[in-house]
Tab-separated table of all heavy atoms in Angstrom:
chain	number	residue	atom	x	y	z
Y	336	ARG	N	13.613	-13.596	-15.472
Y	336	ARG	CA	14.325	-12.985	-16.588
Y	336	ARG	C	14.737	-11.575	-16.152
Y	336	ARG	O	13.901	-10.701	-15.972
Y	336	ARG	CB	13.438	-12.904	-17.830
Y	336	ARG	CG	14.194	-12.438	-19.075
Y	336	ARG	CD	13.244	-12.112	-20.195
Y	336	ARG	NE	12.473	-13.241	-20.662
Y	336	ARG	CZ	12.854	-14.072	-21.632
Y	336	ARG	NH1	13.997	-13.878	-22.241
Y	336	ARG	NH2	12.091	-15.078	-22.014
Y	337	LEU	N	16.043	-11.374	-15.960
Y	337	LEU	CA	16.550	-10.072	-15.546
Y	337	LEU	C	16.810	-9.190	-16.766
Y	337	LEU	O	17.458	-9.624	-17.714
Y	337	LEU	CB	17.853	-10.229	-14.760
Y	337	LEU	CG	17.764	-10.746	-13.325
Y	337	LEU	CD1	19.143	-10.740	-12.684
Y	337	LEU	CD2	16.797	-9.948	-12.477
Y	338	VAL	N	16.297	-7.957	-16.706
Y	338	VAL	CA	16.538	-6.979	-17.767
Y	338	VAL	C	16.685	-5.609	-17.126
Y	338	VAL	O	16.285	-5.396	-15.982
Y	338	VAL	CB	15.391	-6.942	-18.801
Y	338	VAL	CG1	15.311	-8.235	-19.583
Y	338	VAL	CG2	14.048	-6.663	-18.117
Y	339	GLY	N	17.252	-4.659	-17.868
Y	339	GLY	CA	17.326	-3.285	-17.400
Y	339	GLY	C	18.519	-3.011	-16.519
Y	339	GLY	O	19.474	-3.790	-16.435
Y	340	GLY	N	18.468	-1.861	-15.829
Y	340	GLY	CA	19.547	-1.435	-14.963
Y	340	GLY	C	19.406	-1.978	-13.557
Y	340	GLY	O	18.565	-2.835	-13.276
Y	341	LEU	N	20.212	-1.456	-12.645
Y	341	LEU	CA	20.243	-1.980	-11.286
Y	341	LEU	C	18.895	-1.865	-10.592
Y	341	LEU	O	18.435	-2.807	-9.937
Y	341	LEU	CB	21.312	-1.238	-10.476
Y	341	LEU	CG	21.391	-1.587	-8.990
Y	341	LEU	CD1	21.642	-3.070	-8.789
Y	341	LEU	CD2	22.467	-0.764	-8.306
Y	342	GLY	N	18.232	-0.705	-10.723
Y	342	GLY	CA	16.931	-0.540	-10.081
Y	342	GLY	C	15.920	-1.556	-10.580
Y	342	GLY	O	15.179	-2.157	-9.790
Y	343	ASN	N	15.877	-1.763	-11.898
Y	343	ASN	CA	14.974	-2.770	-12.473
Y	343	ASN	C	15.299	-4.157	-11.937
Y	343	ASN	O	14.399	-4.928	-11.554
Y	343	ASN	CB	15.100	-2.791	-13.993
Y	343	ASN	CG	14.810	-1.463	-14.650
Y	343	ASN	OD1	15.569	-0.998	-15.489
Y	343	ASN	ND2	13.711	-0.817	-14.275
Y	344	GLN	N	16.574	-4.501	-11.900
Y	344	GLN	CA	16.979	-5.828	-11.449
Y	344	GLN	C	16.592	-6.072	-9.993
Y	344	GLN	O	16.177	-7.176	-9.624
Y	344	GLN	CB	18.486	-6.000	-11.633
Y	344	GLN	CG	18.926	-5.996	-13.090
Y	344	GLN	CD	20.435	-5.969	-13.236
Y	344	GLN	OE1	21.165	-6.624	-12.497
Y	344	GLN	NE2	20.921	-5.193	-14.194
Y	345	LEU	N	16.704	-5.044	-9.155
Y	345	LEU	CA	16.334	-5.203	-7.749
Y	345	LEU	C	14.831	-5.414	-7.596
Y	345	LEU	O	14.388	-6.202	-6.744
Y	345	LEU	CB	16.788	-3.990	-6.940
Y	345	LEU	CG	18.296	-3.906	-6.694
Y	345	LEU	CD1	18.664	-2.557	-6.075
Y	345	LEU	CD2	18.772	-5.041	-5.792
Y	346	TYR	N	14.029	-4.716	-8.407
Y	346	TYR	CA	12.584	-4.953	-8.360
Y	346	TYR	C	12.248	-6.374	-8.800
Y	346	TYR	O	11.404	-7.053	-8.191
Y	346	TYR	CB	11.853	-3.954	-9.254
Y	346	TYR	CG	11.441	-2.694	-8.544
Y	346	TYR	CD1	11.980	-1.468	-8.904
Y	346	TYR	CD2	10.513	-2.719	-7.513
Y	346	TYR	CE1	11.613	-0.303	-8.258
Y	346	TYR	CE2	10.128	-1.565	-6.858
Y	346	TYR	CZ	10.690	-0.358	-7.234
Y	346	TYR	OH	10.319	0.795	-6.573
Y	347	GLN	N	12.880	-6.838	-9.855
Y	347	GLN	CA	12.585	-8.177	-10.374
Y	347	GLN	C	12.969	-9.252	-9.353
Y	347	GLN	O	12.201	-10.190	-9.108
Y	347	GLN	CB	13.314	-8.375	-11.702
Y	347	GLN	CG	12.747	-7.524	-12.819
Y	347	GLN	CD	13.753	-7.184	-13.900
Y	347	GLN	OE1	14.845	-7.729	-13.966
Y	347	GLN	NE2	13.389	-6.247	-14.773
Y	348	LEU	N	14.141	-9.112	-8.760
Y	348	LEU	CA	14.556	-10.085	-7.751
Y	348	LEU	C	13.672	-10.002	-6.516
Y	348	LEU	O	13.330	-11.031	-5.920
Y	348	LEU	CB	16.020	-9.860	-7.374
Y	348	LEU	CG	16.557	-10.824	-6.311
Y	348	LEU	CD1	16.468	-12.274	-6.787
Y	348	LEU	CD2	17.985	-10.474	-5.928
Y	349	SER	N	13.274	-8.793	-6.126
Y	349	SER	CA	12.413	-8.628	-4.952
Y	349	SER	C	11.083	-9.351	-5.138
Y	349	SER	O	10.583	-10.010	-4.208
Y	349	SER	CB	12.150	-7.148	-4.683
Y	349	SER	OG	13.329	-6.482	-4.336
Y	350	TYR	N	10.508	-9.216	-6.327
Y	350	TYR	CA	9.243	-9.915	-6.569
Y	350	TYR	C	9.439	-11.426	-6.540
Y	350	TYR	O	8.597	-12.164	-6.007
Y	350	TYR	CB	8.640	-9.486	-7.907
Y	350	TYR	CG	7.279	-10.090	-8.170
Y	350	TYR	CD1	6.178	-9.714	-7.403
Y	350	TYR	CD2	7.100	-11.063	-9.152
Y	350	TYR	CE1	4.927	-10.284	-7.622
Y	350	TYR	CE2	5.857	-11.625	-9.377
Y	350	TYR	CZ	4.770	-11.241	-8.611
Y	350	TYR	OH	3.539	-11.805	-8.818
Y	351	ALA	N	10.568	-11.894	-7.072
Y	351	ALA	CA	10.856	-13.329	-7.019
Y	351	ALA	C	11.022	-13.802	-5.571
Y	351	ALA	O	10.543	-14.886	-5.198
Y	351	ALA	CB	12.114	-13.641	-7.823
Y	352	LEU	N	11.675	-12.996	-4.736
Y	352	LEU	CA	11.818	-13.344	-3.319
Y	352	LEU	C	10.456	-13.384	-2.638
Y	352	LEU	O	10.198	-14.238	-1.769
Y	352	LEU	CB	12.719	-12.325	-2.620
Y	352	LEU	CG	14.208	-12.379	-2.963
Y	352	LEU	CD1	14.920	-11.149	-2.406
Y	352	LEU	CD2	14.842	-13.659	-2.421
Y	353	PHE	N	9.583	-12.458	-3.046
Y	353	PHE	CA	8.225	-12.438	-2.495
Y	353	PHE	C	7.482	-13.723	-2.856
Y	353	PHE	O	6.862	-14.363	-1.999
Y	353	PHE	CB	7.495	-11.209	-3.026
Y	353	PHE	CG	6.052	-11.136	-2.651
Y	353	PHE	CD1	5.662	-10.724	-1.390
Y	353	PHE	CD2	5.059	-11.482	-3.564
Y	353	PHE	CE1	4.320	-10.664	-1.044
Y	353	PHE	CE2	3.717	-11.414	-3.234
Y	353	PHE	CZ	3.350	-11.007	-1.962
Y	354	LEU	N	7.544	-14.129	-4.127
Y	354	LEU	CA	6.882	-15.373	-4.540
Y	354	LEU	C	7.512	-16.586	-3.864
Y	354	LEU	O	6.810	-17.535	-3.502
Y	354	LEU	CB	6.962	-15.531	-6.059
Y	354	LEU	CG	6.138	-14.568	-6.914
Y	354	LEU	CD1	6.300	-14.926	-8.393
Y	354	LEU	CD2	4.663	-14.585	-6.523
Y	355	ARG	N	8.811	-16.562	-3.711
Y	355	ARG	CA	9.490	-17.679	-3.032
Y	355	ARG	C	8.935	-17.866	-1.625
Y	355	ARG	O	8.703	-19.000	-1.180
Y	355	ARG	CB	11.001	-17.407	-2.978
Y	355	ARG	CG	11.801	-18.496	-2.259
Y	355	ARG	CD	13.286	-18.178	-2.314
Y	355	ARG	NE	14.060	-19.227	-1.680
Y	355	ARG	CZ	14.455	-19.215	-0.408
Y	355	ARG	NH1	14.133	-18.178	0.362
Y	355	ARG	NH2	15.158	-20.207	0.100
Y	356	ARG	N	8.715	-16.755	-0.948
Y	356	ARG	CA	8.139	-16.839	0.402
Y	356	ARG	C	6.686	-17.309	0.360
Y	356	ARG	O	6.278	-18.184	1.143
Y	356	ARG	CB	8.211	-15.461	1.066
Y	356	ARG	CG	7.735	-15.450	2.519
Y	356	ARG	CD	7.608	-14.047	3.032
Y	356	ARG	NE	6.476	-13.348	2.409
Y	356	ARG	CZ	6.220	-12.054	2.580
Y	356	ARG	NH1	7.025	-11.303	3.299
Y	356	ARG	NH2	5.167	-11.508	2.012
Y	357	GLU	N	5.904	-16.770	-0.577
Y	357	GLU	CA	4.485	-17.119	-0.631
Y	357	GLU	C	4.268	-18.569	-1.033
Y	357	GLU	O	3.355	-19.233	-0.526
Y	357	GLU	CB	3.774	-16.196	-1.633
Y	357	GLU	CG	3.718	-14.742	-1.217
Y	357	GLU	CD	2.973	-14.556	0.091
Y	357	GLU	OE1	1.801	-14.963	0.163
Y	357	GLU	OE2	3.578	-14.021	1.045
Y	358	PHE	N	5.075	-19.072	-1.950
Y	358	PHE	CA	4.899	-20.433	-2.461
Y	358	PHE	C	5.797	-21.454	-1.770
Y	358	PHE	O	5.719	-22.648	-2.069
Y	358	PHE	CB	5.198	-20.473	-3.970
Y	358	PHE	CG	4.212	-19.709	-4.811
Y	358	PHE	CD1	4.593	-19.222	-6.052
Y	358	PHE	CD2	2.924	-19.474	-4.383
Y	358	PHE	CE1	3.693	-18.515	-6.848
Y	358	PHE	CE2	2.017	-18.774	-5.160
Y	358	PHE	CZ	2.395	-18.296	-6.395
Side-chain angles (χ1 to χ4, degrees):
R336 187 191 297 270
L337 285 184
V338 294
L341 175 58
N343 302 132
Q344 294 172 40
L345 287 171
Y346 269 115
Q347 291 153 11
L348 180 60
S349 295
Y350 184 68
L352 288 169
F353 174 78
L354 291 183
R355 179 177 182 266
R356 184 190 70 187
E357 293 300 303
F358 293 155

